[in-house]
Amino acid sequence: IGKEPMVKSEISDIFRLEVKNLKNGKNTIKFTIEQGNKKTNGQIVVQYVDDATEGSQYKANISKSGKINVFKGGLSLSVPKGTVLQQAKSNPKAEVPTINLLGEHDILFGIANQIDGRTIKAYNRIGEIENGGEMDGRLSLIPGDSGNAFRFTPAPHFGYASPLYWLDAGSLNAYSSNVEDFNVKQATHPYAKGHEFHQRLIPQNWMELSQKGTITLKYDSALVNAAAGNLGIWWYNPSQGTWTNIGGKVDSKKKTVTATFKGFGYYAVKSLRYSYSDAISHKTARNDIELMLARGYMKAAKQDAFGVYDPMTRGEFATIVVKLLDIPLDYDVPVNNSSNKLTFDDIYQETI
């Protein structure tokens, strides 16, 4: 197809090749069949609809401009020049293998079900073999897993304000200290057989950007501008099984939230649906308190109260400053999960 050879099956005359970067509307895919010295040209016309509903998927590489826009502008990425993909780090100073990203490596984007995280509910069994026969052209259902529902239930006080997006770049699967020893695995949907997202439980099963980029998500256009202060982008990190509120900057005219990002997994805009009584009753700072909560700069001190009048430690203050200024972390992780904890230089940390 074009100048790229298709891959022949090892057991039959089936040839396969994945065509990416389809444009919205009609796509004419030209091919050539070679039989000895004979060449036969043909073409296939594919009508691609750039949909932005649950179940939509799109695979493409990020152009050398560092920008990509999918799902009718519902999701946009921008990464700095010189950015490469690297194996996700278990600590900031770890040495890990890298591969080129811009214009070369494919990213899979999907709009997922907010109950179980599926981006597709059936798939074509291309390349699969069963009882000696190839399953190309046969559909197989992907059942929902109710056991994963807890992973997608928003944290108390929050709710979804955008679709749930899936982003995957695959993995490098390097398990040795040699950064040249790795095996690239391509991006998959979250329920791909043998690569289910909830089974990829360690950083080696994921990739991340070598430097931070920005992610922009559109939120529900029905939300009034007064609700903009209650919005933030959340990231589900599958290797840790946790959601992180990464906040972001809201553009109420474009109905978007933009935040810095580095890792892959699930992303969504979530809104602070209801607050805490001590924040609501504050005479002057309610909006500011709720904005800090919605953006992830601060967390509630208790289950039933934000802790408006609680004293703040300097560790908490330092955390807020780091989040507000988006300062990259650079530290040594305590060895072997010892009792040593990161602290201030003037505080002596006794070892056990």
Side-chain angles (χ1 to χ4, degrees):
I1 293 180
K3 295 184 179 180
E4 188 172 1
M6 301 183 73
V7 179
K8 186 179 181 299
S9 167
E10 295 182 355
I11 63 174
S12 74
D13 290 331
I14 294 177
F15 287 79
R16 305 181 181 95
L17 184 67
E18 189 174 55
V19 178
K20 302 175 285 290
N21 298 305
L22 296 178
K23 307 300 181 184
N24 189 37
K26 186 172 75 172
N27 294 259
T28 300
I29 302 171
K30 296 182 179 181
F31 62 87
T32 301
I33 300 173
E34 297 184 2
Q35 296 174 295
N37 295 325
K38 181 182 177 182
K39 293 185 178 182
T40 303
N41 296 319
Q43 65 182 34
I44 303 170
V45 176
V46 176
Q47 190 75 23
Y48 173 70
V49 178
D50 183 15
D51 199 5
T53 58
E54 179 186 319
S56 299
Q57 290 197 144
Y58 189 76
K59 180 184 281 188
N61 58 60
I62 300 175
S63 69
K64 293 187 177 180
S65 69
K67 300 181 184 297
I68 190 168
N69 182 310
V70 296
F71 305 132
K72 297 182 177 179
L75 185 158
S76 302
L77 300 182
S78 178
V79 300
K81 290 183 179 180
T83 301
V84 297
L85 284 170
Q86 63 187 25
Q87 180 173 283
K89 293 184 177 182
S90 55
N91 70 74
K93 292 188 176 181
E95 291 189 14
V96 291
T98 63
I99 60 172
N100 291 335
L101 168 62
L102 301 181
E104 296 189 29
H105 190 79
D106 293 325
I107 309 295
L108 179 65
F109 303 89
I111 300 180
N113 181 278
Q114 294 178 351
I115 302 299
D116 55 36
R118 285 179 296 171
T119 55
I120 55 174
K121 298 179 180 179
Y123 74 101
N124 188 340
R125 299 178 63 185
I126 296 173
E128 293 186 15
I129 298 175
E130 185 176 295
N131 298 324
E134 293 175 302
M135 297 291 105
D136 295 59
R138 302 188 185 187
L139 293 180
S140 180
L141 296 178
I142 300 174
D145 186 349
S146 59
N148 283 321
F150 75 95
R151 304 179 193 274
F152 303 102
T153 302
H157 299 264
F158 289 88
Y160 284 106
S162 80
L164 175 63
Y165 293 101
W166 166 257
L167 284 72
D168 188 28
S171 64
L172 295 181
N173 288 78
Y175 295 94
S176 71
S177 58
N178 181 4
V179 295
E180 301 299 326
D181 182 18
F182 62 88
N183 177 33
V184 178
K185 291 192 175 182
Q186 299 301 315
T188 64
H189 66 86
Y191 277 77
K193 188 180 297 184
H195 301 282
E196 293 86 351
F197 78 96
H198 51 88
Q199 299 296 332
R200 296 163 64 181
L201 299 175
I202 56 177
Q204 287 92 333
N205 295 148
W206 297 90
M207 283 198 266
E208 64 183 9
L209 303 181
S210 60
Q211 50 188 332
K212 288 184 177 181
T214 59
I215 180 170
T216 301
L217 302 181
K218 281 188 177 180
Y219 61 85
D220 187 349
S221 60
L223 289 176
V224 297
N225 291 345
N230 291 341
L231 301 173
I233 292 179
W234 288 65
W235 169 46
Y236 181 79
N237 181 350
S239 70
Q240 297 182 4
T242 57
W243 281 97
T244 301
N245 186 346
I246 60 175
K249 183 178 180 179
V250 177
D251 186 328
S252 58
K253 291 183 179 180
K254 295 181 179 179
K255 301 289 186 180
T256 62
V257 185
T258 300
T260 57
F261 88 105
K262 195 172 183 180
F264 295 89
Y266 289 98
Y267 284 88
V269 177
K270 296 184 182 181
S271 63
L272 180 66
R273 297 293 175 84
Y274 59 99
S275 185
Y276 296 86
S277 58
D278 57 343
I280 294 171
S281 62
H282 200 283
K283 294 182 179 180
T284 59
R286 174 182 175 177
N287 290 343
D288 298 315
I289 293 168
E290 292 182 345
L291 185 145
M292 296 285 280
L293 179 62
R295 296 285 197 278
Y297 299 131
M298 298 182 71
K299 296 181 179 180
K302 309 176 184 68
Q303 287 188 342
D304 58 351
F306 181 77
V308 171
Y309 302 102
D310 291 356
M312 179 183 291
T313 68
R314 60 177 178 162
E316 291 171 332
F317 181 75
T319 299
I320 294 171
V321 172
V322 167
K323 289 182 176 181
L324 282 168
L325 300 180
D326 200 19
I327 300 173
L329 300 178
D330 184 15
Y331 58 89
D332 292 313
V333 175
V335 179
N336 297 327
N337 295 320
S338 69
S339 60
N340 292 340
K341 295 182 179 179
L342 302 174
T343 184
F344 292 93
D345 289 340
D346 61 332
I347 297 179
Y348 174 69
Q349 177 66 43
E350 184 178 358
T351 59
I352 298 177

